[in-house]
């Protein structure tokens, strides 16, 4: 039977989209097929559905997502009664439930719905759908006692209507009232109550939302600038010396369009990072001349400058009525929301209360979720040498907002902060450090250490002093000295530049003959481990055996049961020749060194992964047709195969993950996407939690 959860509330303004997003994250960690159903909608396409569909790669037909519009529902209830309305809405739910293992139901929003007894409507729907209920109560502008009373009343209301309330969420609670409210609620109810703070970044509209709402004309600015959160509004009318100290990080400057001094002053402050602003909004229909706009564009490229015809008072009235909204166009807000949910909710406890059966197969999304969750449980500090690169900064923002790990960015601090400011990214998280290798007091210490390590190569202290200023060497030395637990680089540096310092400084761990790599290949229904696809061009039998043993250990570390296939162009005893003999010898070495491992070789790829082919070519093999670790005979074969599978089969390739080093250092593809970087950092943090076997 489909297991469902119904997220609902008791009134407007509860910000439950945070909980809806968090629940979708939680469910997709456990279940392959999660469906969505909103019984009642205001408009289609629905903003939250589009967010969840895009973020979680849902294939659900949008036409099946909702039951009916509010106006139609109100008319139906008025004409035929609540029974008829309930029956229609439950029919829609059942159509979704037929196709999915679990359904997340999003209750009505209590906003101009024209439905009497709306709480009762939600309660009855939840009961008729057999769904557990997760009520969300808004706590904005309330003290702790008021929040507690609201939560208790909501709990009584839903339980008295026969609902299975699995937990309660108090959302948007004043941070100063949060601990008191949480303490009282723990003692008040017999179900878990999770208390989430009010987060200004979620309530803040984006500059793009301001433009759309006010019908503003965009004079300057790019997509990244328009995506910035407007955390504050500063109205400019004073002279520049008085105006500049009033600027706040992430503010939108609102000023008449003829105040060129304030426009240029605000953008110059942004360029200097003191402070970074979200943009400039010009009123009264006045626009600066082209010379001023050209100067503004040079001062702060990408920063929005927009204009409206209204005066400051009317503009302010509209601005202060805006509220930030989660949607497909606000991915950064989604990361903030998930960070809040995962910090404030005991996801393990909630999952147990849901009793959702975990899917037997592992999807790419489930694997990615597991990486972040495991990294978060035992946080490590990862150093990112390419601190000024846009993708690194965006990945850092995701990692920090999700609480995955602590980070150190390398680079000149003012330059890193300016770049982050241009992207609308805040770097004030206490889990983040920015270190400049050229000016850091660690440079002297690292130079002495590197000179000692490389003295046999004739490296002097003076030469070492120059070498360790390189971000790759500096980051590697931080790992070596325990100032960071791992390093991830390669977004703009070559593989050689990333791993050469690791070879020189960290070196191989005991028992590892070489450093090698694997990719986690996330296919539609499973995760395979490919090695070596990035480091060793033509390993001999000894090295190939070492790669296989290391890859099996890496697979096991990440919950992929190792069944090792030593790949070749022939299977079993069907072929001969130097290349096949190498693989055969390597297979025997693996069996001798690790008799506990399941290993087969030489074996062709099809026989390794297809049960049908395996039954014909190697019947009775414990590995054939079920292999999870595929070891390629050389780099040419491995690299081309992983790329072919990635592109042709739509697989998500996570890696390369280096193995065999004493401490974790991992390389990125120079074409890595932000999510690739996030995944690789999470893997590195997990590696740092304990030695790979």
């Amino acid at each position: 039977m489909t297991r469902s959860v119904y997220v609902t509330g008791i009134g407007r303004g509860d910000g439950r989209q945070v909980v809806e997003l968090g629940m979708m994250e939680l469910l997709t960690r456990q279940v392959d097929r999660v469906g969505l159903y909103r019984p009642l909608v205001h408009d289609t396409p629905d903003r939250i559905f589009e967010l969840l569909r895009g973020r979680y790669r849902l294939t659900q037909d949008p036409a099946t997502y909702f039951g009916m519009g509010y106006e139609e529902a109100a008319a139906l209830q008025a004409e035929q009664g609540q029974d008829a309305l309930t029956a229609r809405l439950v029919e829609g739910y059942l159509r979704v439930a037929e196709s999915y293992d679990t359904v997340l139901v999003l209750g009505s929003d209590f906003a101009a719905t024209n439905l009497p007894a709306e709480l009762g409507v939600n309660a009855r729907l939840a009961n008729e759908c057999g769904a557990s209920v997760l009520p969300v109560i808004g706590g904005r502008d309330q003290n702790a006692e008021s929040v507690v009373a609201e939560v208790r009343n909501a709990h009584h209301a839903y339980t008295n209507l026969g609902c299975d309330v699995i937990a309660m969420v108090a959302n948007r609670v004043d941070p100063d009232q949060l601990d008191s409210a949480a303490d009282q609620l723990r003692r008040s109810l017999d179900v878990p109550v999770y208390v989430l703070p009010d987060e200004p970044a979620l309530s803040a509209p984006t500059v793009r939302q301001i433009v759309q709402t006010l019908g503003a004309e965009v004079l300057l600015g790019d997509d990244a600038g328009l995506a910035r959160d407007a955390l504050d509004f500063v109205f400019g009318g004073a002279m520049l010396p008085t105006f500049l100290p009033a600027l706040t990080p992430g503010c939108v400057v609102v000023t008449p369009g003829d105040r060129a001094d304030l426009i240029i002053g605000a953008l110059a402050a942004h360029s200097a990072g003191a402070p970074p602003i979200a943009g400039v909004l010009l009123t009264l229909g006045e626009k600066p001349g082209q010379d001023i706009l050209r100067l503004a564009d040079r001062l702060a490229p990408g920063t929005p400058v927009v204009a409206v015809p209204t005066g400051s008072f009317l503009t302010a009235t509209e601005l202060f009525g805006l509220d930030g909204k989660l949607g497909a166009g606000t991915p950064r807000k989604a990361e903030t929301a998930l960070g809040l949910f995962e910090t404030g909710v005991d996801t393990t406890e909630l999952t147990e209360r849901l009793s959702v059966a975990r899917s037997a197969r592992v999807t790419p999304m489930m694997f990615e979720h597991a990486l972040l969750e495991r990294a978060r449980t035992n946080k490590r500090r990862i150093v990112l040498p390419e601190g000024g690169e846009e993708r690194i900064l965006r990945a850092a923002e995701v990692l920090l907002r999700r609480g995955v790990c602590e980070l150190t960015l390398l680079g000149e601090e003012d330059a890193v902060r300016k770049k982050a400011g241009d992207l609308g990214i805040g770097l004030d998280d206490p889990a983040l450090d920015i270190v400049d290798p050229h000016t850091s007091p660690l440079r002297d210490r690292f130079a002495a250490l590197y000179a000692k390590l490389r003295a046999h190569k004739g490296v002097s202290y003076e030469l070492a002093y120059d070498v360790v200023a390189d971000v790759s060497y500096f980051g590697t030395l931080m790992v070596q000295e325990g100032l960071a637990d791992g390093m991830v680089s390669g977004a703009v540096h070559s593989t050689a530049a990333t791993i050469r310092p690791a070879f020189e400084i960290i070196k191989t761990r005991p028992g590892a003959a070489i450093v090698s790599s694997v990719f986690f290949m996330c296919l539609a229904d499973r995760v395979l481990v490919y090695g070596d696809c990035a480091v060793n061009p033509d390993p001999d039998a000894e090295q190939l055996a070492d790669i296989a043993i290391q890859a099996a250990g890496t697979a096991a570390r990440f919950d992929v049961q190792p069944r090792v296939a030593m790949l070749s162009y022939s299977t079993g005893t069907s072929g001969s020749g130097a290349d096949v003999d190498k693989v055969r010898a390597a297979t025997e070495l693996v069996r001798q060194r690790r008799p506990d491992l399941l290993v087969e070789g030489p074996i062709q790829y099809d026989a390794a992964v297809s049960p049908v082919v395996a039954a014909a070519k190697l019947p009775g093999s414990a590995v054939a047709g079920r292999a999870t670790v595929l070891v390629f005979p050389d780099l040419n074969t491995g690299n081309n195969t992983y790329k072919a599978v990635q592109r042709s089969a739509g697989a998500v390739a996570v890696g390369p993950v280096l193995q065999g080093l004493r401490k974790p250092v991992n390389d990125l593809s120079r074409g890595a996407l932000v999510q690739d970087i996030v995944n690789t950092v999470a893997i590195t943090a997990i590696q740092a939690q304990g030695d790979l076997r």
Side-chain angles (χ1 to χ4, degrees):
M1 179 178 176
T2 301
R3 177 70 163 163
S4 302
V5 59
Y6 195 114
V7 180
T8 185
I10 60 172
R12 297 185 61 179
D14 53 30
R16 83 180 73 150
Q17 294 85 4
V18 171
V19 179
E20 292 169 345
L21 182 63
M23 284 305 304
M24 192 66 182
E25 181 87 6
L26 196 63
L27 291 172
T28 53
R29 290 178 190 170
Q30 307 292 321
V31 179
D32 176 19
R33 299 180 303 151
V34 180
L36 282 168
Y37 183 60
R38 188 188 289 281
L40 298 164
V41 295
H42 285 289
D43 300 296
T44 56
D46 181 78
R47 174 171 47 84
I48 296 301
F49 176 69
E50 293 302 315
L51 167 64
L52 298 178
R53 182 169 68 156
R55 185 177 184 89
Y56 298 101
R57 307 164 198 161
L58 305 182
T59 59
Q60 182 176 345
D61 182 351
T64 68
Y65 161 65
F66 65 96
M68 66 179 69
Y70 281 101
E71 290 186 7
E72 182 185 359
L76 178 61
Q77 181 166 294
E79 294 173 7
Q80 301 183 33
Q82 193 179 85
D83 287 349
L85 173 63
T86 301
R88 280 275 303 277
L89 297 178
V90 171
E91 285 176 9
Y93 165 80
L94 293 174
R95 283 193 295 270
V96 176
E98 286 175 357
S99 303
Y100 295 93
D101 302 320
T102 297
V103 179
L104 176 61
V105 186
L106 312 181
S108 67
D109 57 15
F110 295 85
T113 59
N114 295 320
L115 285 176
E118 192 167 346
L119 188 150
V121 172
N122 283 286
R124 183 170 178 187
L125 279 174
N127 290 337
E128 295 290 348
C129 295
S132 298
V133 176
L134 180 61
V136 183
I137 292 81
R140 177 174 284 176
D141 300 325
Q142 299 182 50
N143 60 29
E145 289 69 26
S146 178
V147 171
V148 170
E150 290 273 12
V151 172
R152 294 182 64 183
N153 288 339
H155 179 260
H156 292 322
Y158 279 105
T159 54
N160 288 343
L161 289 169
C163 294
D164 171 30
V165 176
I166 54 169
M168 307 283 292
V169 177
N171 192 30
R172 290 182 164 179
V173 176
D174 184 333
D176 293 334
Q177 302 292 317
L178 191 141
D179 289 341
S180 175
D183 182 61
Q184 294 180 57
L185 286 167
R186 273 193 295 270
R187 294 182 276 106
S188 299
L189 297 175
D190 57 359
V191 298
V193 182
Y194 308 114
V195 185
L196 309 184
D198 199 13
E199 171 53 59
L202 283 178
S203 304
T206 63
V207 178
R208 179 176 285 105
Q209 184 184 344
I210 292 172
V211 169
Q212 293 170 344
T213 303
L214 274 62
E217 179 184 356
V218 179
L219 305 178
L220 295 174
D222 57 19
D223 285 342
L226 291 169
R228 296 177 190 173
D229 293 325
L231 300 177
D232 192 9
F233 299 106
V234 175
F235 291 81
M239 298 302 291
L240 190 60
T242 305
F243 168 73
L244 287 177
L247 296 177
T248 58
C251 71
V252 168
V253 172
V254 184
T255 184
D258 59 359
R259 289 298 303 270
D261 58 331
L262 301 187
I263 298 168
I264 297 302
L267 294 173
H270 172 85
S271 180
I277 65 173
V280 179
L281 174 60
L282 308 178
T283 61
L284 297 174
E286 295 286 341
K287 302 174 189 176
Q290 289 301 311
D291 54 342
I292 296 296
L293 288 176
R294 282 193 293 270
L295 176 58
D297 194 33
R298 286 196 296 270
L299 275 172
T303 297
V305 177
V306 304
V308 294
T310 53
S312 296
F313 178 77
L314 290 177
T315 302
T317 301
E318 291 194 77
L319 288 175
F320 289 126
L322 286 176
D323 200 5
K325 296 183 184 299
L326 283 172
T330 58
R332 295 175 59 230
K333 286 187 185 296
E335 298 297 347
T336 300
L338 286 172
L340 278 179
F341 183 85
E342 290 164 342
T343 301
V345 173
D346 185 336
T347 55
T348 301
E349 176 185 54
L350 187 54
T351 301
E352 291 173 352
R353 292 183 66 83
L354 280 169
S355 301
V356 177
R358 179 180 286 274
S359 296
R361 70 175 192 163
V362 178
T363 67
M365 183 159 291
M366 292 168 70
F367 182 73
E368 291 174 5
H369 286 335
L371 292 180
L372 301 189
E373 184 67 20
R374 289 184 61 182
R376 190 184 295 113
T377 57
N378 188 2
K379 289 184 183 178
R380 291 291 184 260
R381 177 168 291 275
I382 306 301
V383 59
L384 304 176
E386 299 153 326
E389 212 282 327
E390 177 177 342
R391 289 166 296 159
I392 294 295
L393 286 168
R394 293 196 183 281
E397 180 181 40
V398 173
L399 291 160
L400 293 171
R401 289 188 174 189
R402 300 289 299 276
V404 175
C405 61
E406 298 177 343
L407 294 175
T408 296
L409 300 180
L410 298 186
E412 197 274 310
E413 183 167 359
D414 288 344
V416 172
R417 291 192 179 278
K418 180 182 183 303
K419 181 66 174 179
D422 289 341
L423 298 170
I425 295 171
L427 296 181
D428 297 325
D429 195 297
L432 173 72
D433 290 334
I434 302 174
V435 176
D436 183 354
H438 288 89
T439 60
S440 171
L442 292 170
R443 186 175 179 180
D444 290 326
R445 169 180 162 187
F446 287 173
L449 174 61
Y450 184 70
K452 181 179 179 181
L453 289 172
R454 304 296 289 173
H456 65 289
K457 295 290 186 179
V459 174
S460 65
Y461 174 84
E462 290 73 21
L463 176 57
Y465 189 78
D466 290 335
V467 169
V468 301
D470 176 88
V471 291
S472 295
Y473 276 91
F474 195 93
T476 304
L477 284 159
M478 288 188 71
V479 176
Q480 175 66 14
E481 289 295 279
L483 302 173
D485 300 299
M487 183 180 90
V488 174
S489 188
V492 294
H493 290 85
S494 67
T495 295
T498 298
I499 66 177
R500 184 186 299 114
F503 290 162
E504 294 179 1
I505 297 165
I506 294 176
K507 302 179 180 178
T508 57
R509 63 174 175 78
I514 56 173
V515 173
S516 59
S517 73
V518 296
F519 279 88
F520 289 95
M521 301 299 294
C522 303
L523 304 174
D525 59 349
R526 62 189 133 169
V527 176
L528 301 178
V529 178
Y530 284 9
D532 175 4
C533 303
V535 179
N536 297 284
D538 189 18
D540 59 25
E542 289 272 352
Q543 294 170 327
L544 205 56
D546 192 70
I547 291 168
I549 291 170
Q550 290 188 51
T554 302
R557 183 75 175 86
F558 290 91
D559 296 329
V560 176
Q561 183 180 354
R563 293 187 290 271
V564 184
M566 307 294 286
L567 299 178
S568 178
Y569 59 77
S570 71
T571 295
T573 59
S574 66
S576 61
D579 292 337
V580 179
D581 291 343
K582 178 180 78 169
V583 174
R584 185 173 289 114
T587 304
E588 291 306 313
L589 287 171
V590 173
R591 288 172 174 153
Q592 292 171 18
R593 296 173 185 174
R594 288 290 304 276
D596 57 307
L597 283 180
L598 295 176
V599 59
E600 188 70 71
I603 186 172
Q604 292 162 289
Y605 190 99
D606 59 350
V609 300
S610 169
V612 174
V613 177
K617 292 188 174 183
L618 275 179
S621 170
V623 173
R626 303 173 60 240
T628 56
V629 178
L630 297 111
V631 180
F632 295 91
D634 53 60
L635 184 60
N636 181 51
T637 307
N639 192 270
N640 278 295
T641 302
Y642 107 75
K643 289 180 177 177
V645 173
Q646 179 187 33
R647 301 300 177 186
S648 301
V652 175
V654 180
V657 178
L658 298 185
Q659 49 190 19
L661 290 167
R662 290 176 182 266
K663 297 184 178 183
V665 170
N666 282 313
D667 183 34
L668 295 167
S669 163
R670 274 171 279 183
L673 303 176
V674 171
Q675 190 59 45
D676 299 331
I677 298 169
V678 170
N679 289 338
T680 303
V681 171
I683 282 176
T684 308
I686 295 168
Q687 286 180 305
Q689 291 172 354
D691 293 334
L692 296 175
R693 291 185 58 82

